Each structure stands twice: as structure tokens, then as C-alpha cells.
Amino acid sequence: MQKLTIIKIGGNVIDNSESLHRFLEDFTSLDGPKILIHGGGKIATETSASLGIEAKMVDGRRITDIETLRVVTMVYAGLINKNIVAQLQAKGANAIGLTGADGNIIKAKKRPIQKVFPVGGDLEGVEIDYGFVGDLDENSVSVPSLSNLLQAGFVPVLCAITHDGETQLLNTNADTIASAVAVAMSAQYETHLVYCFEKKGVLKDVNDDATVVREIRSADFEPLKADGTVAGGMIPKLHNAFEAINKGVTSVYIGKADELAEIATGTFGTKLSP
Amino acid sequence: MQKLTIIKIGGNVIDNSESLHRFLEDFTSLDGPKILIHGGGKIATETSASLGIEAKMVDGRRITDIETLRVVTMVYAGLINKNIVAQLQAKGANAIGLTGADGNIIKAKKRPIQKVFPVGGDLEGVEIDYGFVGDLDENSVSVPSLSNLLQAGFVPVLCAITHDGETQLLNTNADTIASAVAVAMSAQYETHLVYCFEKKGVLKDVNDDATVVREIRSADFEPLKADGTVAGGMIPKLHNAFEAINKGVTSVYIGKADELAEIATGTFGTKLSP
């Protein structure tokens, strides 16, 4: 099977033009077919503020009301996506910028109104309407559409907007999109999923960048949780990564965007494998 | 050669959700490969106003400064383009929404600073910097990129944003894009270009919609100008249309978006032919 690299970047790369430039250089240099998936960044928050739209939160959970959906559609699918595409084109990658609506690449389901608060707590029974948020399932990704684009030599650049197939655009977590795309594309490709985040990888000592754990196999995950090497926010990240591996992804890397070039030499971040 | 229909719509369709819905229904029903090209609309002006950005004009000419470029990129490539795509997908057309940067489909040149005012006038010698505006030439359109998408079954939806190939996005007139795409694609397809505007076509009596001139051949153009049937803003419109025909486009239609379905029966607007 042909190798396919799927890379997700977040706000920490997008918000810094120097980091973004360097990352896109390294991304362009990667061999073989590849897909870039990006989240938002400060620009969405700033644009909302300039338009006088307040971020709606319910108990720490962000709500995507119709005004917020308009802003993220403008900022993610317009401003950020098209500037990334223009930069990639200048560097020689035949980028094509897309939402999940384009080519019906990612069809999501609007998240139902939920009771999410613990029984016995102050908010027990309170329902949350997350608004225009889209959740994915195993049928969300159109493998033929993405394959057609890859085979025609395009480099898809996906932002975190999806649709429900019935005219409604939806806001979807970019990490979730990256994982769903990697799992679905595993049917036709040997897929490698790369999550870029703030740290150099899983660190034995969170305060020492030199202590990157180079590889974690599926069987190592529980012991590493038990001894505290994997803790806090890394637990769900790794849990999701191993779930993708269980569903057919060949390997998942977690590391820092500005070290992407090292993926070729096997010294990029932490590699998770079956 | 296979038939290809290229349709351009403007603000009068985009700004009215009922008109847009009806137009997209008819567009989806058109047989064969097709491309939709859309301009902006009131939303760009309104968003600029909400963000506190004033429209910059020099002697009636709109200037695209960097702030305006950000807004049109957000509104054209994000909000309008992706909502059209989501609607087309719901209606069964496999739409894919693009700027000229995507797949390097349209590479423009930033308009140089120009002296545009008449000799002897008050503004003689004054230079205008139009800002981030892109002009097209005969090499601007990537026929292979568009053909690849059409052959893969996609329906390209292009907005009026292009790029210079060196990371800069540019604002380009949507009529000009439609014409350039139709001319370039004539190398591989029998192209039919449709301009939707406010009127039902070229009217013998501008106040009577029942007086549509059904067909104008190239040789009729000068006599119709001479007798006043074609006057005012219709002159440059028809001039550009016949120029496209001279460069290989099979026919150009000018008519009202909500009558698009009539193109199948030969009663849509005014047909211009060689």
C-alpha cells in the first residue's frame, strides 16, 4: 500500500507567521501523498471580538451559536485556509483548501442536546445545546473524494468545518477530523498520523525537553499511565491515538511542528505504534 | 468535444436566499460538467462595516487595501462559498468550493500603480494604487487542474479570489474570472458561458421585459449599437462576451438567474454567438 501522511496543526503554529512558514516548508518537503488539517487560532477569537460577538460558554464548554459559526466559517475556511494554500502553492505543493462540505469529504451529525453534568451536582439534569457542532462517526469521511484528489496530485488542506449533508455547516474539532480521516484512509493507504502540539512529544520529565520518549507501543500504554509518565491531558491524547491505531492507522506521531523535518530520520517526537 | 457550462452569478442572487435556493436547484439540474463562479454581495460590505473598515474609493474606483482583502477572503472564500457548496451538496451536486489559489487554478498579476485620469483634467498624472487586485492574462487559468476536478465528478464553485503564486491572495472581478475560465477551457471543451444579471437579457425596450432579443450574432453587434438597442452598460458587457467568443467560447448567454432552467428549451435570456 502507498504511504499517506496526515498532519494536524493547531493555533500555536497558525498564530505565529514564522513558525507557520517553517512548518509549511517542511510539510512541502515530505515525500508522497499528504493531507494537512488545521484548527483555528487567535484570529477567530479576535475577529469575533471585533464583530462584537461574545464567546458563549456553559460550564467551560464552548457553544457554537449561529454568529460564532459564521465567524469560524469565515476565519477557518476563508482567511486561514486560503492563506495556507497560497503559501503552499508558492512553496511548490499543489494545495487545495477544503471544508468537509467540499466534495462531501466529511459529513457530520449535529450534536444532540445533552445532559452532561454529574448526578447529584448543582447542574444535574441541565441540558446543554452545543449549537452548530458536528460529531463524526465511522461513515463520515468520503474516501473516494479524498482519493480522487490525491490521485490527481492535489494536497488537500482541510479546516475544521464540516456539514450535515442537508445545507448546514458545522464546527468540528480538528483533532477528531484528523483521526477520522486517518482511520478511513487506512482502507486504501498505509496511513501515518502526525499531531503537532506545543511539546516535543511525551516527556519522561515534563520540564525537560530532552526526555522525549521516542516510541510507545500499545502494550506500554497502561504501564506508562501507572508509573505517571503519561498523565493529565496526555492520557486522552494517547488514548485517541491508540484507538486510531486499533482501527488501522499504521503509526501516530506526537511532536512539535518546527521539528517536522526530523520525521524522515526517525527522531520526530513520540511515535505510537501497535 | 464535451459540453461545459460556466455560470456566473452576482450579488443580486447571493443576497436573496430565496433566489439563491431556486438558482442552485436549476444549476444542479443542468446536464453535464459545469462550473459556478460567484462574486460577493452586500455581506462583504456589511461585514466590513461591522469591523469598522471603511470602503476606500478613489474617484469612484474601489481600492482593495489589506484590511479589505482580509474581509473579502473571509466572506467570499469562507462564508458565501461554503454555504453555496453545502446547499449544492444537499441538492445532489458534488460541489467543491475554491479560490484561484486552490490547485493554482487562477494565477493573477497584482495590478500595477496606474495613471488613469484624462490628460488635461484635474487629476492628470495622479497615480492610483488599486491595492491587492489581480488582473488575468491568457496564461492565468490552469486547464489541467480544472479538468482533473471535472473528470473526477466534482462541480467547481469558484469565488473571486485569486493569487499571484508568491503567497499573495488577490481580489479579482468575477466577470473577468468567468470569461477567462470559459476561454481557457475551450481548448478541451465546447464551452457555454452564462452571465446572470438583473435583467432578462438584452431588451429592445429597456422598460419592457417582454422585448428580449433572443440571439445576437457577432455581425449584428455594430448595427445594434448604431440603432441604440445596445447602449450604456450593455456595450462593454457584450464587447467582452464577443471577445470570449472570438477566443473560442461557443456561446455566451446573458439573462436572469431565476430563469436558468429555460436554457434547456432555448428561451433563456439573450444568446450571443459567432
Side-chain angles (χ1 to χ4, degrees), chain A residues 54-95:
Chain A
E54 274 175 56
K56 286 212 180 123
M57 310 284 283
V58 175
D59 197 51
R61 292 163 174 83
R62 182 181 287 274
I63 307 298
T64 305
D65 60 5
I66 191 71
E67 288 302 317
T68 303
L69 179 70
R70 280 173 66 98
V71 173
V72 296
T73 303
M74 291 197 293
V75 174
Y76 297 175
L79 198 58
I80 297 175
N81 190 270
K82 299 314 170 189
N83 275 291
I84 288 176
V85 166
Q87 286 192 51
L88 285 172
Q89 285 287 345
K91 295 178 200 309
N94 195 11

Side-chain angles (χ1 to χ4, degrees), chain A residues 43 46-47 50-52 69-71 73-75 77-79 81-83 85-87 89-91 94-99 101-105 144-146 148-149 152-154 161 163 165-169, chain B residues 43 46-47 50-52 69-71 73-75 77-79 81-83 85-87 89-91 94-99 101-105 144-146 148-149 152-154 161 163 165-169:
Chain A
I43 315 171
E46 287 166 6
T47 306
S50 300
L51 288 166
L69 179 70
R70 280 173 66 98
V71 173
T73 303
M74 291 197 293
V75 174
L79 198 58
N81 190 270
K82 299 314 170 189
N83 275 291
V85 166
Q87 286 192 51
Q89 285 287 345
K91 295 178 200 309
N94 195 11
I96 188 164
L98 306 163
T99 65
D102 300 293
N104 192 27
I105 284 171
S145 268
L146 276 173
N148 277 337
L149 294 171
F154 294 111
I161 305 289
H163 77 143
E166 293 165 9
T167 79
Q168 185 61 58
L169 296 170
Chain B
I43 315 168
E46 286 167 6
T47 306
S50 301
L51 289 166
L69 179 70
R70 281 172 66 99
V71 172
T73 303
M74 291 198 293
V75 174
L79 197 58
N81 189 269
K82 298 314 169 189
N83 276 293
V85 166
Q87 286 192 52
Q89 285 286 346
K91 294 178 199 309
N94 195 10
I96 187 165
L98 306 164
T99 65
D102 299 294
N104 193 26
I105 284 171
S145 268
L146 276 173
N148 277 338
L149 294 171
F154 293 112
I161 304 288
H163 76 143
E166 295 165 8
T167 78
Q168 185 61 59
L169 295 170

Side-chain angles (χ1 to χ4, degrees), chain B residues 88-158:
Chain B
L88 285 172
Q89 285 286 346
K91 294 178 199 309
N94 195 10
I96 187 165
L98 306 164
T99 65
D102 299 294
N104 193 26
I105 284 171
I106 302 159
K107 193 151 102 178
K109 287 198 173 72
K110 187 169 183 290
R111 186 175 299 172
I113 294 171
Q114 291 172 5
K115 291 179 186 170
V116 296
F117 299 107
V119 175
D122 287 353
L123 295 171
E124 184 191 341
V126 171
E127 292 185 328
I128 292 196
D129 180 355
Y130 287 91
F132 297 97
V133 169
D135 290 324
L136 307 186
D137 62 27
E138 63 278 10
N139 299 313
S140 289
V141 178
S142 167
V143 175
S145 268
L146 276 173
S147 293
N148 277 338
L149 294 171
L150 292 168
Q151 277 158 31
F154 293 112
V155 177
V157 179
L158 295 174

Side-chain angles (χ1 to χ4, degrees), chain B residues 38-83:
Chain B
H38 64 85
K42 283 185 208 151
I43 315 168
T45 318
E46 286 167 6
T47 306
S48 286
S50 301
L51 289 166
I53 299 165
E54 274 176 54
K56 285 213 180 121
M57 310 284 282
V58 175
D59 198 50
R61 292 164 175 83
R62 183 181 287 275
I63 307 298
T64 306
D65 60 5
I66 192 71
E67 288 303 318
T68 304
L69 179 70
R70 281 172 66 99
V71 172
V72 296
T73 303
M74 291 198 293
V75 174
Y76 297 175
L79 197 58
I80 297 176
N81 189 269
K82 298 314 169 189
N83 276 293

